[in-house]
Amino acid sequence: MRKSTLAIVLLVILANLLVWAAFNRPVRPVTYAGLINGVSFSPYQKGQDPYKKIYPTAEQIDQDLALLEGWAGAVRTYSSADGLEAVPALARARGLKVTAGAWLDRRPENNQREIANLIANANTYDNVGRVIVGNEAVLRGDLSTRQMREYLREVRASVGVPVSTAEPWHVWLKYPELAEDVDFITIHLLPYWEGIAEKDALKWAMESYRRVQLAFPHKPILIGEIGWPSGGIRQEKANPSLTGQARFIREFLNVAAAQGLDYFIMEAFDQSWKRQAEGLAGIHWGLFDVDRRPKFSMTGEVLEVRFWVLQPLLATLLALGPMAIFLRQWNNLRRRGRLFYAALLQGAASLLIWSAALPLVSDMTLAGLIVWGLLLPAQAALLLVVLTSGLEMAEVLWVDKWKRHFRPLPPSRYQKLPKVSIHLAIHNEPPELVKQTLDGLARLDYPDFEVLVLDNNTVKDEVWKPVEEYCRLLGPRFRFFHLANWPGFKAGALNFGLTQTDPEAQVVGVIDADYVVHSSWLRSLVPYFEDPEVGFVQAPQDNREWQGDLFKTMINWEYNGFFEIGMVHRNERNAIIQHGTMTLVRREALEVQGGWSEWCICEDAELGMRLFARGYKAVYVNFNFGDGITPFTFAGYKGQRFRWTYGAIQILRRHWRWLLPGNPSGLSAGQKFHFATGWFPWFADAFHLLFTFAGIFWTIGLLAAPKYFEFPLAPFIVPTLGLFLFKVSHALVLYRARVNCTFWQSVGAAIAGMGLTHVIARAVFKGLFYKNEPFLRTPKGENQPALFKGFLMAWEEWQICALLWLSAGATWWRFGLGSPEALLWGVLLLVQSLPYGAALLTSMANCMPTAHLRAARWLTLARRGSLGLLRLRWLMGARRTTIG
């Protein structure tokens, strides 16, 4: 065992390191050993901003030029004002040539100042070999071509060096008249802004260069800007990265040297002030970062993140402790189960470290940092849900042998069976339904029991009096009590029943009003009370009359999954949830605990928790001893789950301290674990609702104010999608392994369970902020709803679903499917919509006619001649299954 444990640890650690290494492989672009012809030069330091009129000093400009000395042959400036007119003199002292620029915009006074300084420098300094009047002023729409040509003529008439203006390549093709007033053509080739993939960027740049060359064969061409950003968001197919920048720059420099191209690399230093106009990518074009450190060399390999090795090491350390505890304590799992969960622990740790390091490896706006700060703890919480679900998966699929496995236990011939008092609390139930339940109890083959029927606040005499009369007909074992204006809901009625229980009764049984028990129920389970440590014995809930009805089939199997998977798993640590039906409780323990809690609408689960805290054991016998009836409507189904969830939050609010490590509550560590983590998925549903509205709000921000809103980072979006897929696959895999249903029935159960996400979220929030909620009885006898009512039962859900779909569509329409960030965001919104869509699907399934009604309709059509005999036979054969 020790050798296998060590092997698992080493295998998981090695796999973790290999995955990190695979995503951080260095690139080895071609080497460039020559001098760079020229670089675009903006000497703004961190915190400086021309928009705010904060300019670099002459000393700072000179320090930047010193870094470029011997590394580049020339610099290109964009302005000849606000201190930048000093660049030619400082560059001459460093042996650097200058292509001087004047910044032109819609301010005539500023333009004249820029041009005056440009002319003066060109006529004063011999290292100013040419000048560029304006930069993309026509592209921006600041100047018309007529205005630009006037400025060009003015400068050409005043200087003795070649004159040009700078525009992207396509502007020259669109406005060829500009070429008439320049001595050379300055083009910008920036494939990132064109959305070109990095692997095709250089080819695209050279093709664009040739197009301009062919259009103006008699004009020299200067590539005024060419480059690739080292960071930012995707632009269609263009993915900015440090390795991509190094590859593009090195390859271009070699091509330029071979073909004798005239160029300026965009640009020397990262410029943080450009974020306002160009977003995150705009601040990452420099060959040096904003702190004046070179990003990469022109030889050797290049790493995207230099310190990436620290991340897998930290992730390994973070996972090592939990992994060691798991492998030591869970030695009853087969190797594949231990390997699976150890790998899951390591994967969760790696994802958390990766997300936590994002601000260190990527630039974020203030909004991005806020989102990161909110999403990181949320992601940690979701990972905790995944880990608890993964543990359940590992134990259920790969346990060697269950430590606590109970079967029906018929009494021995000489065993004296204690008297049982069965309490049946009813409220406004259809009399015929209750009579079926009473008939089942009358058939019990147990020697000594009584039945107390506790009618709780039923107003109409025609509803409760037939039940009273029926109890009289069944004999003295059946006693009926009508409790008018009785407080405490079901718990209050059950507590009254305790006061009326036969003094000889040692066990109290509770069932719901719709449950028809099997005759062997008491005889098979009561013998477990011979063990004085057993506080209650629980059998699973099962259902009848669901076959042939799509809606009931879906929810039947959704219920079944909990009893076949969750309860079996919890039983292993004596931590099952007590349910208010098919349960037997030791009377003495019940009375010592003060009976049922009337402050809680899930009095059964709360009692079970108190019994565990008192040191009692529970017995879960996973065998069907009775059948109830599923809710008839989606509204009833939601109401039932709302009650369960709200009641659980009530329990947590009252007893949360019991679950803290080290708290002497009497609960074992395993019981604390299951009670705490068993409700995690419900809190995850509450987070889902928050994220849904946050996603809709964020989409509105992206559409209305893209300057202030950016797409959430892919490292948060992709894991969120992955966690959703894990949740779905977790349910389907466990269903296939533990639940005796078909694949399509398990899919239907998953849809039904997913459709409860919204109502669970509402119950969580209501439970957190409101102390008291009226008891919600689950109706069991309504007629099936009409189609319109089906929409009404999922009214909130389908509206939210529509909003999410609209948000996804608007995102794709605004940003295009070519933007990976927009594509991912839209996909995430659609995934967010699935639980709301599932609610609508489940509600619509509730409106479909049952199998016998469908068959009757087809028969009617066939008799009228609407269908042929062969068609009828095919249809009848196709309708034999219950779902799928």
Side-chain angles (χ1 to χ4, degrees):
M1 183 64 71
R2 290 178 181 175
K3 290 182 179 179
S4 65
T5 298
L6 181 60
I8 289 172
V9 171
L10 294 177
L11 182 61
V12 169
I13 291 175
L14 179 61
N16 178 55
L17 294 175
L18 289 175
V19 170
W20 278 91
F23 281 98
N24 290 276
R25 286 178 296 178
V27 298
R28 295 176 177 83
V30 295
T31 295
Y32 180 73
L35 184 72
I36 295 176
N37 185 70
V39 291
S40 297
F41 182 69
S42 292
Y44 292 92
Q45 313 288 312
K46 186 185 295 184
Q48 295 176 346
D49 187 343
Y51 293 119
K52 299 178 180 178
K53 300 182 183 290
I54 305 174
Y55 304 107
T57 64
E59 181 182 2
Q60 290 171 329
I61 294 172
D62 187 55
Q63 290 172 352
D64 280 354
L65 291 170
L67 290 174
L68 301 179
E69 185 179 356
W71 189 74
V75 295
R76 175 198 168 187
T77 63
Y78 292 83
S79 173
S80 293
D82 302 319
L84 297 182
E85 66 271 20
V87 172
L90 296 170
R92 185 173 63 174
R94 298 289 180 183
L96 292 167
K97 294 181 180 180
V98 177
T99 293
W103 184 264
L104 304 184
D105 52 31
R106 301 187 182 197
R107 300 170 296 169
E109 305 84 5
N110 176 76
N111 294 348
Q112 288 303 323
R113 182 168 61 104
E114 287 272 0
I115 286 176
N117 289 346
L118 178 69
I119 292 172
N121 279 340
N123 292 331
T124 301
Y125 301 103
D126 58 1
N127 64 323
V128 178
R130 54 194 169 187
V131 297
I132 296 177
V133 181
N135 184 73
E136 298 185 352
V138 174
L139 174 71
R140 294 193 306 274
D142 287 349
L143 299 175
S144 66
T145 55
R146 181 184 60 81
Q147 291 171 314
M148 177 56 71
R149 293 179 69 181
E150 290 175 357
Y151 282 125
L152 288 169
R153 293 188 195 113
E154 178 185 351
V155 175
R156 289 181 81 188
S158 304
V159 300
V161 296
V163 177
S164 182
T165 186
E167 294 288 346
W169 65 279
H170 57 84
V171 173
W172 289 97
L173 299 179
K174 185 177 181 180
Y175 304 106
E177 63 270 22
L178 282 173
E180 297 175 12
D181 294 294
V182 299
D183 299 302
F184 62 97
I185 292 174
T186 305
I187 62 173
H188 292 171
L189 299 173
L190 301 171
Y192 166 78
W193 292 118
E194 304 284 345
I196 307 300
E198 187 261 319
K199 65 181 178 64
D200 301 319
L202 185 56
K203 178 183 177 183
W204 174 89
M206 291 300 97
E207 288 176 350
S208 301
Y209 178 88
R210 301 301 175 206
R211 290 179 65 182
V212 177
Q213 193 177 47
L214 288 172
F216 306 100
H218 304 299
K219 293 280 186 178
I221 296 177
L222 167 66
I223 301 175
E225 291 180 358
I226 188 168
W228 191 264
S230 61
I233 65 172
R234 282 180 178 265
Q235 181 78 5
E236 297 182 14
K237 296 181 181 179
N239 183 24
S241 66
L242 177 64
T243 53
Q245 183 185 49
R247 184 187 291 112
F248 180 84
I249 296 295
R250 285 197 201 175
E251 290 179 356
F252 169 75
L253 290 175
N254 280 280
V255 169
Q259 299 183 15
L261 301 179
D262 194 4
Y263 65 86
F264 286 95
I265 296 295
M266 178 69 187
E267 62 188 319
F269 306 104
D270 279 349
Q271 298 294 297
S272 56
W273 61 271
K274 289 186 178 181
R275 174 177 288 179
Q276 179 176 342
E278 299 179 15
L280 283 175
I283 69 177
H284 287 297
W285 290 85
L287 300 178
F288 292 78
D289 65 21
V290 72
D291 294 315
R292 277 43 185 174
R293 294 173 300 204
K295 294 181 181 178
F296 57 88
S297 88
M298 294 297 168
T299 62
E301 62 184 29
V302 181
L303 279 170
E304 187 70 32
V305 180
R306 294 187 182 92
F307 59 87
W308 73 266
V309 176
L310 292 176
Q311 296 182 72
L313 292 178
L314 287 173
T316 298
L317 291 175
L318 182 61
L320 201 56
M323 202 188 305
I325 294 172
F326 165 74
L327 292 172
R328 182 176 179 180
Q329 297 294 327
W330 275 263
N331 52 19
N332 64 324
L333 293 183
R334 293 194 285 273
R335 286 193 187 96
R336 68 185 70 176
R338 300 166 77 219
L339 178 61
F340 163 79
Y341 196 69
L344 193 63
L345 285 167
Q346 183 62 79
S350 291
L351 181 57
L352 199 58
I353 292 295
W354 182 42
S355 301
L358 285 175
L360 302 177
V361 300
S362 60
D363 283 301
M364 294 185 185
T365 62
L366 177 60
L369 284 171
I370 292 173
V371 171
W372 171 82
L374 294 174
L375 290 182
L376 186 62
Q379 189 178 83
L382 288 177
L383 286 173
L384 194 56
V385 174
V386 167
L387 289 175
T388 55
S389 299
L391 180 61
E392 178 185 60
M393 193 171 182
E395 288 197 305
V396 170
L397 294 179
W398 294 297
V399 68
D400 266 334
K401 185 179 180 181
W402 294 109
K403 297 175 181 177
R404 301 182 81 245
H405 181 65
F406 302 102
R407 297 180 178 276
L409 191 67
S412 65
R413 180 182 301 179
Y414 305 104
Q415 183 178 2
K416 178 175 174 53
L417 294 173
K419 184 167 187 171
V420 177
S421 181
I422 300 171
H423 297 176
L424 177 63
I426 62 175
H427 169 72
N428 205 35
E429 307 289 353
E432 295 305 316
L433 182 71
V434 181
K435 289 178 182 179
Q436 293 179 40
T437 301
L438 295 174
D439 287 340
L441 294 173
R443 291 191 294 266
L444 285 171
D445 59 355
Y446 193 79
D448 195 5
F449 70 95
E450 66 173 358
V451 176
L452 275 59
V453 181
L454 309 166
D455 181 76
N456 172 26
N457 296 314
T458 300
V459 177
K460 295 181 179 180
D461 291 350
E462 62 269 25
V463 175
W464 66 266
K465 284 194 173 182
V467 178
E468 180 184 37
E469 179 60 27
Y470 200 70
C471 288
R472 189 177 298 112
L473 292 175
L474 289 174
R477 276 184 170 176
F478 291 79
R479 292 190 283 157
F480 181 89
F481 301 89
H482 175 61
L483 307 176
N485 299 317
W486 198 260
F489 307 108
K490 181 180 178 180
L494 292 175
N495 283 332
F496 172 81
L498 279 177
T499 66
Q500 304 300 314
T501 299
D502 189 307
E504 299 296 322
Q506 299 178 34
V507 176
V508 173
V510 179
I511 63 171
D512 281 346
D514 59 313
Y515 257 78
V516 176
V517 299
H518 298 180
S519 60
S520 61
W521 172 43
L522 297 182
R523 178 170 51 84
S524 300
L525 299 186
V526 169
Y528 277 107
F529 285 100
E530 276 205 326
D531 182 351
E533 294 184 354
V534 171
F536 66 98
V537 179
Q538 183 74 54
Q541 296 178 215
D542 211 336
N543 298 294
R544 65 185 188 273
E545 300 177 14
W546 53 265
Q547 295 84 351
D549 185 297
L550 178 59
F551 169 70
K552 292 181 181 179
T553 299
M554 292 168 68
I555 67 174
N556 169 75
W557 291 115
E558 192 270 333
Y559 291 136
N560 199 274
F562 174 74
F563 291 100
E564 294 291 342
I565 300 168
M567 288 285 278
V568 171
H569 184 223
R570 297 176 71 108
N571 183 58
E572 191 72 350
R573 293 177 188 84
N574 190 34
I576 65 170
I577 294 287
Q578 186 182 22
H579 289 263
T581 189
M582 302 308 295
T583 188
L584 299 170
V585 189
R586 186 180 297 275
R587 179 184 181 180
E588 177 188 9
L590 180 57
E591 291 180 336
V592 167
Q593 288 297 306
W596 306 88
S597 294
E598 298 181 20
W599 56 266
C600 180
I601 64 174
C602 280
E603 71 291 327
D604 41 13
E606 195 274 341
L607 173 65
M609 194 174 185
R610 283 189 287 135
L611 291 174
F612 285 136
R614 185 57 71 104
Y616 283 105
K617 294 190 300 187
V619 170
Y620 178 62
V621 181
N622 190 20
F623 187 85
N624 179 23
F625 287 104
D627 303 298
I629 296 177
T630 65
F632 273 56
T633 66
F634 183 58
Y637 181 50
K638 290 201 302 181
Q640 184 185 65
R641 198 58 52 96
F642 182 95
R643 176 170 62 86
W644 293 352
T645 307
Y646 184 88
I649 302 302
Q650 283 185 308
I651 294 170
L652 281 175
R653 287 183 61 164
R654 176 69 67 96
H655 298 313
W656 64 270
R657 293 179 182 81
W658 288 10
L659 305 180
L660 297 177
N663 185 288
S665 60
L667 297 176
S668 68
Q671 289 166 342
K672 290 179 180 181
F673 170 81
H674 279 292
F675 275 102
T677 62
W679 291 314
F680 275 0
W682 290 354
F683 281 94
D685 288 343
F687 275 116
H688 184 277
L689 182 60
L690 288 178
F691 291 155
T692 292
F693 285 110
I696 294 171
F697 167 78
W698 204 259
T699 301
I700 294 172
L702 288 168
L703 298 172
K707 182 177 177 180
Y708 302 101
F709 289 81
E710 60 189 88
F711 286 105
L713 293 167
F716 283 106
I717 297 178
V718 174
T720 300
L721 297 176
L723 295 178
F724 174 80
L725 292 176
F726 176 85
K727 180 180 178 181
V728 173
S729 59
H730 162 267
L732 292 179
V733 168
L734 289 183
Y735 259 77
R736 298 304 297 149
R738 293 288 309 177
V739 183
N740 187 27
C741 64
T742 68
F743 171 76
W744 289 111
Q745 286 171 339
S746 65
V747 170
I751 292 173
M754 194 185 302
L756 295 169
T757 299
H758 182 63
V759 73
I760 289 172
R762 291 180 66 248
V764 169
F765 287 120
K766 198 148 192 176
L768 289 173
F769 297 109
Y770 295 91
K771 288 186 177 181
N772 297 308
E773 181 72 11
F775 183 86
L776 298 174
R777 183 185 68 88
T778 303
K780 298 288 179 65
E782 309 97 327
N783 294 321
Q784 284 198 328
L787 185 64
F788 180 70
K789 190 174 180 182
F791 275 98
L792 291 180
M793 288 190 295
W795 176 254
E796 291 183 10
E797 290 90 338
W798 75 257
Q799 289 185 92
I800 296 173
C801 183
L803 281 174
L804 287 167
W805 279 65
L806 183 63
S807 298
T811 300
W812 292 337
W813 173 79
R814 170 66 176 80
F815 298 99
L817 294 176
S819 167
E821 280 78 11
L823 181 62
L824 264 179
W825 181 247
V827 170
L828 179 65
L829 292 173
L830 293 183
V831 169
Q832 288 286 100
S833 76
L834 289 178
Y836 305 103
L840 183 59
L841 283 176
T842 308
S843 189
M844 289 298 100
N846 189 197
C847 301
M848 293 180 65
T850 57
H852 71 277
L853 290 177
R854 288 197 301 266
R857 289 178 183 178
W858 288 116
L859 282 170
T860 301
L861 289 172
R863 287 169 182 166
R864 291 176 181 175
S866 299
L867 294 171
L869 181 60
L870 291 177
R871 173 82 170 150
L872 175 62
R873 290 176 62 186
W874 180 84
L875 284 169
M876 294 301 291
R879 298 292 175 176
R880 289 175 184 168
T881 57
T882 57
I883 186 173

